[in-house]
Amino acid sequence: MSAAPEVRVPRSEPILQRGLEVLASTQDAEGSWYGDYGGPQFLIPIYVAGLHVMGRVPESAQREGLVAYLRRHQNADGGWGLDVESPSQVFTSVLNYVALRLMGVAEDNTGLRRARQWFLPRGGALASGAWGKIILALLGLYEYRGLQPVPPELWLLPESLPFHPSRLWCHCRMVYLPMSWLYGRKARAPESPLLASIRREIFDGDYAQVDWTAARERVSPTDVYTPRTVWLKAANQLMLGYERVAGKQLRERALDFALEQIRAEDEATHYICIGPINKVLNMVVWHFVNPEGPEVRAHLERLPDYFYEAADGIKMNGYNSSELWDTAFAVQAVVATGASEATRPMLAEAARFIEANQVLEDTREPARFYRHPSKGGWPFSTREHGWPISDCTAEGLKACLALAPLGLNRVSEARLQDAVGFILSMQNKDGGWATYELQRGPQVLEVLNPSDVFSTIMVDISYVECTSACVQALAAWRKHIQRPDARVDEAIARGAAFIRKIQREDGSWVGSWGVCFTYGTWFGVNGLLAAGASPEDPALRRATAFLRSYQRSDGSWSEVVESCRQGRWVEGKEGHAVNTAWALLTLAAAGEQASDSARRGAQWLRGRQQADGRWPPEPIAGIFNRTCAIHYDAYLRIFPVWALAVCDKR
Ligand code: LAN
């Protein structure tokens, strides 16, 4: 097929112009787009609790900002949700209540009174989801014997066991690692009058009378997304039995082992850590090891990486940033607009950021610390963070290859080759790609998920997003090198087969990291196309028919986080520019950019742009672990531009 010359129908011209200006004006000095990555509502309280254990409080300006943020996001019923858009849970309500108290808000404050009125009738601290109780125990506001056990000795079990901690998804593993150390030590903040008072406020009865055995099992229905299975209950009984007889020597060995793993994580990430939770918990661990030590100091220095000031107050971001990810998408969007002289400086800056943030080395002793080799990968945020991810590497590589024909790519061929090597090393046996590592354990381990509030946290499994991004990157690479490479070809074919296998009956794919079917289907379709599927392919026809069937009468698409929770399409109140952009990108890729459906979608998207070149704020489009919404600040600036650029091409 000879490529038809690309003709741009200038219908979106002024809109793209303004959209590009907004992108250019929000680009950072380093070439990236840095922004708000908030949403989850359990991060600030864990941070404040951690500081309190260390005898600290946030400095006053930060404290004010945090308090303002928590107040701003208290639900009308008095509680706090798992994220800023969700219904109240006991877990987040009790923790945010405690955080406000620790930051100096008085017990009789109206907001706090309303909070108590929400969570006390539901059982208060005793009915919190599992992680809440762990944090409360650390503060001495809950008893360790009322927790499901997290013994550090699990780390000493044979690595060949399918449930050895090293086989867990790295986020789960890295959160439970410091938790197991703190649990093993029964680490606890020193008692104080403030804590004694809070303890009276968050229980609905006398603390001295609490039945801690019953408390272990108790959890409010509001906090249960993943019910505790008989397998988990059996495992808990086993661990409780062990906890009763645990010898001191073995415990010390296990604690030492865990501490070494913690040190390796801290060093590999320059004390940023993989995420905000293990960042705080690792720091607290070091406080108990040596409060004046260099590790605590190093941790304190990297705390600011996680905070972001926005119109709604100061929040703790869900990662140290989403810069690489957003920058890679922004590049692809801008290149799709035709990359005029005016946008070259923006692309050149972005290229610099991408070049500066590829991971160039493996971590120290990767096998000993259960790390997959890192060299050549791209992280979600920055090189310093140090954890490369399959699809971030893929999008980084795709961005470089999109910049190359413009003469703007700065990453050498050898380093691009390393990225390809990293991607190839990450392909699972099932043909798909997981997030940070190969799948290390059976997916049935999910029956041991002890978190109550999250799903799919136990094992890193293949996802449509990661698989599609890797297939697309490998296909772009193959085109770039213009010579055959059997390994790459085979990887693409296996990846495409995986994508086909997980397509749903209705033609869609479920997104796991974006909301929801529009996101998953965008990846599914583009993965198959990159692997060589023809637009007539029945899988693609079913996918576009699925999308068309959910188009709203005004031409837009709209999905909300409930889509991910319920596993079925749940419509929002009005059209969303991000969902609409994903749907349009999908239709256009599948050859339907001239269809009536795409035309109406593009029309809606154009009409939705504000005079300032932005699209108005809309509900959160990011998600993790099926339940928690997380805000991708740059998506509203990137995807509408990208979609309109693509729809304008004929
Ligand atoms: C992220 C952010 C990036 C995201 C993508 C790269 C977009 C995705 O395609 C793969 C998964 C990944 C890497 C991802 C996984 C889960 C994360 C790390 C997050 C959503 C950011 C925050 C979240 C993390 C688990 C939050 C801490 C909470 C726990 C349950 C440990």
Side-chain angles (χ1 to χ4, degrees):
M1 203 173 74
S2 67
E6 277 184 358
V7 185
R8 297 215 317 112
V9 187
R11 264 179 312 195
S12 299
E13 207 61 65
I15 286 158
L16 288 176
Q17 194 62 41
R18 284 197 294 272
L20 287 167
E21 279 161 17
V22 170
L23 274 176
S25 68
T26 52
Q27 188 176 26
D28 235 53
E30 282 153 59
S32 66
W33 281 265
Y34 179 83
D36 185 337
Y37 195 51
Q41 299 222 86
F42 46 89
L43 305 176
I44 291 173
I46 294 179
Y47 161 69
V48 174
L51 281 192
H52 188 84
V53 172
M54 299 166 67
R56 295 169 177 269
V57 278
E59 48 80 20
S60 65
Q62 188 185 58
R63 190 166 65 213
E64 260 171 49
L66 295 173
V67 169
Y69 177 81
L70 294 185
R71 287 204 165 122
R72 163 81 178 68
H73 293 289
Q74 184 172 17
N75 287 338
D77 62 13
W80 282 266
L82 188 62
D83 58 66
V84 292
E85 292 183 359
S86 294
S88 303
Q89 291 195 337
V90 178
F91 160 41
T92 37
S93 298
V94 171
L95 281 192
N96 282 306
Y97 177 92
V98 172
L100 286 167
R101 291 286 285 125
L102 294 176
M103 289 192 287
V105 180
E107 180 186 353
D108 61 2
N109 169 275
T110 326
L112 292 194
R113 201 169 318 131
R114 280 176 42 237
R116 285 197 303 276
Q117 280 162 4
W118 188 84
F119 65 66
L120 286 178
R122 287 171 177 80
L126 291 174
S128 160
W131 289 16
K133 293 180 175 177
I134 295 176
I135 300 302
L136 294 177
L138 187 60
L139 286 167
L141 299 174
Y142 191 92
E143 295 305 309
Y144 272 95
R145 61 180 191 281
L147 295 180
Q148 312 190 63
V150 196
E153 285 83 352
L154 287 171
W155 283 96
L156 303 179
L157 291 171
E159 283 170 19
S160 54
L161 287 173
F163 53 85
H164 186 269
S166 65
R167 296 176 185 275
L168 296 176
W169 182 43
C170 55
H171 275 282
C172 188
R173 178 168 97 229
M174 284 299 152
V175 166
Y176 278 100
L177 172 66
M179 278 184 182
S180 76
W181 192 94
L182 296 164
Y183 179 87
R185 267 288 185 91
K186 308 289 175 332
R188 206 176 149 130
E191 184 61 24
S192 70
L194 176 59
L195 288 174
S197 172
I198 299 175
R199 200 182 295 116
R200 280 191 301 275
E201 299 158 27
I202 61 174
F203 287 84
D204 59 350
D206 184 0
Y207 190 79
Q209 303 300 318
V210 170
D211 173 352
W212 294 106
T213 307
R216 245 183 342 245
E217 306 285 325
R218 185 153 173 208
V219 49
S220 160
T222 53
D223 292 33
V224 181
Y225 182 80
T226 300
R228 299 178 188 174
T229 63
V230 289
W231 300 101
L232 176 62
K233 288 181 183 156
N236 282 331
Q237 284 313 317
L238 215 80
M239 292 191 290
L240 279 168
Y242 169 77
E243 196 59 24
R244 260 175 241 127
V245 300
K248 208 167 166 335
Q249 244 184 340
L250 194 60
R251 169 89 0 140
E252 284 308 316
R253 242 186 75 207
L255 289 171
D256 286 348
F257 187 94
L259 193 62
E260 260 207 299
Q261 296 286 327
I262 289 170
R263 181 186 292 287
E265 158 72 353
D266 287 346
E267 288 178 359
T269 61
H270 303 85
Y271 290 83
I272 295 167
C273 296
I274 194 169
I277 300 184
N278 80 320
K279 159 72 187 166
V280 170
L281 295 180
N282 285 8
M283 177 172 74
V284 172
V285 165
W286 287 116
H287 167 80
F288 283 106
V289 173
N290 178 7
E292 309 299 331
E295 296 86 1
V296 169
R297 232 173 306 125
H299 264 295
L300 288 170
E301 262 168 42
R302 294 319 296 250
L303 269 174
D305 295 49
Y306 279 99
F307 291 90
Y308 187 79
E309 189 165 357
D312 55 352
I314 296 180
K315 61 193 75 181
M316 191 167 192
N317 277 342
Y319 218 83
N320 65 322
S321 81
S322 58
E323 281 164 283
L324 188 284
W325 183 247
D326 292 326
T327 304
F329 279 144
V331 162
Q332 295 176 71
V334 175
V335 170
T337 66
S340 65
E341 275 311 309
T343 54
R344 277 184 77 87
M346 168 164 49
L347 289 174
E349 288 299 300
R352 198 184 303 279
F353 182 85
I354 292 172
E355 194 271 333
N357 284 283
Q358 187 179 17
V359 177
L360 302 179
E361 285 167 357
D362 292 342
T363 50
R364 173 170 69 89
E365 298 181 86
R368 179 163 163 221
F369 299 111
Y370 309 107
R371 289 289 305 264
H372 189 92
S374 308
K375 186 177 172 190
W378 268 283
F380 182 62
S381 52
T382 55
R383 175 190 289 171
E384 273 193 307
H385 176 280
W387 278 87
I389 302 169
S390 67
D391 58 356
C392 299
T393 305
E395 297 301 341
L397 179 57
K398 280 169 64 192
C400 291
L401 297 178
L403 289 164
L406 305 169
L408 292 172
N409 167 44
R410 300 172 61 96
V411 180
S412 69
E413 288 293 301
R415 276 171 53 180
L416 294 178
Q417 183 74 62
D418 289 342
V420 172
F422 176 82
I423 291 175
L424 291 174
S425 78
M426 290 273 287
Q427 189 170 26
N428 281 326
K429 286 206 185 80
D430 63 12
W433 274 265
T435 61
Y436 293 77
E437 291 163 343
L438 287 164
Q439 180 170 346
R440 295 180 176 186
Q443 204 185 337
V444 297
L445 275 189
E446 194 55 28
V447 302
L448 297 177
N449 179 344
S451 71
D452 302 315
V453 299
F454 302 118
S455 158
T456 336
I457 62 167
M458 299 297 281
V459 185
D460 205 352
I461 53 169
S462 297
Y463 292 99
V464 67
E465 295 99 317
C466 301
T467 305
S468 166
C470 290
V471 165
Q472 291 179 55
L474 292 176
W477 172 251
R478 186 168 58 183
K479 207 163 142 199
H480 174 76
I481 54 174
Q482 296 189 330
R483 61 184 141 75
D485 182 327
R487 270 185 79 202
V488 169
D489 289 351
E490 199 214 307
I492 292 174
R494 286 175 52 223
F498 175 81
I499 295 174
R500 281 184 195 278
K501 197 179 78 197
I502 61 166
Q503 184 178 23
R504 291 161 40 119
E505 207 47 50
D506 62 11
S508 70
W509 283 267
V510 195
S512 293
W513 311 108
V515 176
C516 176
F517 296 98
T518 43
Y519 189 65
T521 304
W522 174 50
F523 279 104
V525 163
N526 279 288
L528 292 183
L529 285 166
S534 88
E536 290 78 47
D537 193 307
L540 300 179
R541 303 282 41 102
R542 281 198 290 137
T544 58
F546 169 86
L547 287 176
R548 278 186 269 109
S549 75
Y550 282 102
Q551 187 170 24
R552 294 158 69 95
S553 56
D554 63 4
S556 69
W557 280 265
S558 170
E559 267 189 286
V560 289
V561 165
E562 274 302 311
S563 268
C564 305
R565 297 199 184 126
Q566 299 185 20
R568 64 180 183 90
W569 186 287
V570 182
E571 187 96 11
K573 289 198 193 73
E574 50 175 345
H576 297 162
V578 172
N579 293 128
T580 302
W582 287 332
L584 286 174
L585 283 165
T586 311
L587 293 180
E592 293 185 19
Q593 72 272 37
S595 65
D596 179 54
S597 175
R599 200 182 42 71
R600 288 192 303 120
Q603 189 62 33
W604 180 87
L605 203 48
R606 285 192 285 264
R608 179 95 173 157
Q609 192 188 39
Q610 300 173 157
D612 64 1
R614 291 177 179 259
W615 276 264
E618 58 187 37
I620 291 183
I623 183 87
F624 59 90
N625 304 141
R626 296 260 170 275
T627 56
C628 191
I630 190 157
H631 176 65
Y632 285 77
D633 205 31
Y635 279 10
L636 258 176
R637 279 168 280 156
I638 295 172
F639 287 110
V641 166
W642 193 347
L644 288 175
V646 167
C647 285
D648 263 12
K649 282 182 192 150
R650 285 285 161 78

